[in-house]
Amino acid sequence: MLKKNEIVKLTIDKMTFEGLGVARYNDEDCNNFAVFVHAAAVGEILDCRIVKVLPKYAFAIPESFDLLSDIRVEPECKTYRRCGGCSFSNISYPAEVEFKKGFVEDAFHKNFPSNVCKIEDVIASPQDEFYRNKAQFPVSLNGKCGFFAKNTHRIVEIEKCFLNDEAFLPLVETFESYISRYMVSCYNEETGKGLLRHFCLRKAPGTGEIMIIIVVNGRDIPHKEQLTSALSAHDGVKSIYMNINTANTNVILSRECRLLWGKETIRDRLCSMFFDISPLSFYQINSPQAENIYNYIKENAGLTQDDIVLDLYSGIGTIGLILSRQVKKVIAIEVVEQAVSNAAQNMLQNDIRNYLLYLASAAETTDILSGLPSADIPNVVIVDPPRKGLDEETIKAMLKINPRKIIYVSCNPATLARDLEIITRTEPSYKLDKIQPFDMFPRTSHVETVVLISKTEI
Ligand code: SAH
């Protein structure tokens, strides 16, 4: 049996979605015992030090390599082993994209064991660095912006993140100078004391506009004129908010936002349209790849001028508004009030008139549609839910209107495959036409997938 600190020779034959190498260890006591090796790539043969042994598997770190993998690259980031943000900094980007196809395949095989679901090759991100238009830095007790270490709330201070938009680092430096100059206290999760909790940044890449949100455990910020004047001197800064979050919670933003400087929303340009974004509204973090996804739906969903589209989880309106010119009408449902008010503004500023918007939960779809004339009942449904996927009520509501097409946009292959198994088992006339993954989140374990589903006559 393996013991802590023992050194063993292993061969890595797989990688997990968290970027750990997987090896199998055999001796007279154990057969094919799984060992997860940090920062090891598939194909590598190495001596590893065992750092933790559990009944069914163990964890190890590399000591020395006999054979390095062809896909290994030297990470540019110095903190990648400690920071929880990235999983794949030590392998080449094309290899990462290939692994992500495997994650989607695994999720579908698990839920459709007797059915072969063809997964298309993953469409790589146009940029594999500096693609994030949004960052949320926890503030350390030393007044530095960082990221949480893997699976913990310990803050790792970071000099430079290779995923974030390059406009963010100078803003972080200005914020950190303010903290040290005025000796402003920073939040301590254990005691619940200290003021500054998070420094959040969001950029609209199509226009360059930037929004800053300072999350505080209190109701005011000392020397706020000095702070807003230093931050607003940076190029692109258009809006600075304070978010009041005094709860002992992991949720970064509370509902209480106060505008300190500038305008209430920032405006982006995407798919030749303008979109306003508020602090609490969802917006895809990789804009060029989001544009690819929206264009893919536009070009491949087979929509016509007779279609009425139900856009569930519609956010600030992106998908529905982009498709609205192709179809007769769009009915959108979204639960966050600021996002719905952005969607209303986005409809007006893009001069769209066939768009109906509801502030409600997707689970209330049946009630909402029952108030509409029968000619307005949608025949196409688009869903783009958060990671937890669809709930039972929403699936029922979708199937009740018997749509000719369903388009499922998902950021979690596990819940996507689970929901599609339920949909196709409940109504076997629905067939999965195309499963197209997109890498929206290079270097991390996440992958986005669009599935086109149509009803066939049986
Ligand atoms: N389609 C949009 C947003 C997708 S993100 C886009 O492409 O930008 C998922 C959205 O679902 C978020 O805006 C979130 O606020 C919303 N949401 C979460 N739970 C919901 C629910 N139960 N009902 C309706 N919308 C919900």
Side-chain angles (χ1 to χ4, degrees), residues 115-319:
N115 234 331
V116 185
C117 297
K118 180 173 183 284
I119 313 292
E120 302 297 324
D121 286 345
V122 176
I123 295 180
S125 171
Q127 287 167 245
D128 63 351
E129 286 187 328
F130 310 117
Y131 63 85
R132 281 193 66 101
N133 63 29
K134 175 180 165 185
Q136 296 178 314
F137 302 96
V139 185
S140 76
L141 289 173
N142 301 331
K144 298 282 178 208
C145 292
F147 289 109
F148 289 125
K150 260 194 179 80
N151 306 325
T152 73
H153 267 221
R154 194 164 40 77
I155 298 171
V156 180
E157 293 170 8
I158 286 175
E159 279 168 37
K160 175 175 182 178
C161 169
F162 288 82
L163 305 193
N164 287 336
D165 191 292
E166 288 181 285
F168 292 172
L169 190 56
L171 289 162
V172 165
E173 286 166 358
T174 297
F175 185 59
E176 290 177 347
S177 317
Y178 152 82
I179 300 174
S180 69
R181 173 153 188 210
Y182 295 106
M183 293 193 293
V184 186
S185 68
C186 301
Y187 183 67
N188 181 334
E189 269 196 353
E190 277 163 28
T191 61
K193 299 215 161 62
L195 183 69
L196 303 173
R197 291 183 78 142
H198 271 84
F199 186 58
C200 303
L201 299 168
R202 193 169 225 187
K203 180 172 164 187
T207 58
E209 295 193 356
I210 293 174
M211 174 182 281
I212 300 174
I213 308 163
I214 300 150
V215 186
V216 292
N217 171 40
R219 307 204 72 79
D220 206 357
I221 297 181
H223 305 281
K224 62 172 181 278
E225 286 73 26
Q226 284 85 346
L227 175 61
T228 52
S229 116
L231 290 172
S232 60
H234 287 262
D235 270 357
V237 174
K238 295 286 175 215
S239 166
I240 305 177
Y241 274 93
M242 168 170 76
N243 179 273
I244 295 166
N245 189 353
T246 54
N248 178 9
T249 167
N250 289 341
V251 178
I252 297 175
L253 296 177
S254 82
R255 288 190 179 184
E256 200 176 342
C257 295
R258 291 214 196 136
L259 186 65
L260 297 181
W261 180 90
K263 46 179 202 156
E264 285 182 5
T265 54
I266 51 170
R267 180 166 297 173
D268 201 11
R269 189 168 165 80
L270 192 86
C271 294
S272 312
M273 292 170 76
F274 286 105
F275 291 98
D276 280 12
I277 314 161
S278 288
L280 302 181
S281 304
F282 175 87
Y283 193 59
Q284 291 287 7
I285 56 98
N286 179 343
S287 300
Q289 188 70 319
E291 196 156 21
N292 285 342
I293 291 181
Y294 300 148
N295 283 333
Y296 175 84
I297 299 173
K298 208 164 140 187
E299 286 155 21
N300 293 279
L303 301 176
T304 73
Q305 286 291 338
D306 295 329
D307 287 324
I308 298 183
V309 174
L310 178 63
D311 180 14
L312 293 180
Y313 309 88
S314 51
I316 62 167
T318 39
I319 300 180

Side-chain angles (χ1 to χ4, degrees), residues 392-455:
E392 204 181 316
E393 279 305 301
T394 307
I395 293 182
K396 261 197 207 150
M398 286 162 59
L399 294 179
K400 195 165 176 202
I401 55 172
N402 197 23
R404 72 176 190 88
K405 275 184 189 288
I406 300 172
I407 297 138
Y408 194 141
V409 184
S410 160
C411 53
N412 183 350
T415 54
L416 168 70
R418 177 202 68 193
D419 293 345
L420 291 178
E421 192 281 324
I422 299 173
I423 290 172
T424 52
R425 177 162 40 83
T426 315
E427 281 295 339
S429 54
Y430 284 105
K431 293 280 175 293
L432 310 186
D433 293 334
K434 209 153 186 195
I435 305 170
Q436 178 62 67
F438 289 83
D439 187 22
M440 183 80 105
F441 315 98
R443 296 345 206 163
T444 77
S445 57
H446 301 288
V447 58
E448 193 89 4
T449 311
V450 178
V451 184
L452 305 177
I453 304 136
S454 59
K455 193 172 176 75

